[in-house]
Amino acid sequence: MTSSDRFVPTPVIREKRRPQVARMQLRDGTGEPIEIIVRDVSARGISAVTRGRVPQEEEVVSIDLPDGREFWGLVRWVRGNRFGVEFDVTS
């Protein structure tokens, strides 16, 4: 048995995600609105889908919540018309 046979990777602990289906509006880096459907939500971000223009990886976006609050985030991944946004939780 080699040392690599005994290797057990450390699990990546992820926050609990809540399935969510809600229409919202995202604003891309230029301020243009993009209609999105949020698929799931965590304390640190969302995954969403759009029929329109998909924001690019590393693009700064804002999300207008129904209660009037606005969250800023960074697009972390894009797969077809699906994408994930990590919120700026520093403020």
Side-chain angles (χ1 to χ4, degrees), residues 17-24 37-42 46-48 66:
R17 295 178 185 174
R18 293 182 307 275
Q20 176 81 30
V21 177
R23 288 182 181 261
M24 292 188 172
I37 296 177
V38 174
R39 297 168 36 139
D40 64 50
V41 177
S42 75
I46 64 166
S47 72

Side-chain angles (χ1 to χ4, degrees), residues 68-80:
R69 291 182 297 158
E70 180 180 64
F71 277 96
W72 289 87
L74 190 64
V75 177
R76 289 297 187 185
W77 57 268
V78 176
R79 292 184 190 99

Side-chain angles (χ1 to χ4, degrees), residues 15-35:
E15 294 179 349
K16 184 173 183 174
R17 295 178 185 174
R18 293 182 307 275
Q20 176 81 30
V21 177
R23 288 182 181 261
M24 292 188 172
Q25 188 173 78
L26 175 140
R27 294 197 180 274
D28 68 12
T30 66
E32 289 296 314
I34 300 173
E35 295 296 322

Side-chain angles (χ1 to χ4, degrees), residues 35-66:
E35 295 296 322
I36 64 171
I37 296 177
V38 174
R39 297 168 36 139
D40 64 50
V41 177
S42 75
R44 295 185 179 265
I46 64 166
S47 72
V49 64
T50 182
R51 287 188 190 172
R53 188 183 80 72
V54 179
Q56 301 298 305
E57 277 189 48
E58 303 301 316
E59 184 173 1
V60 175
V61 296
S62 65
I63 298 169
D64 301 325
L65 299 180

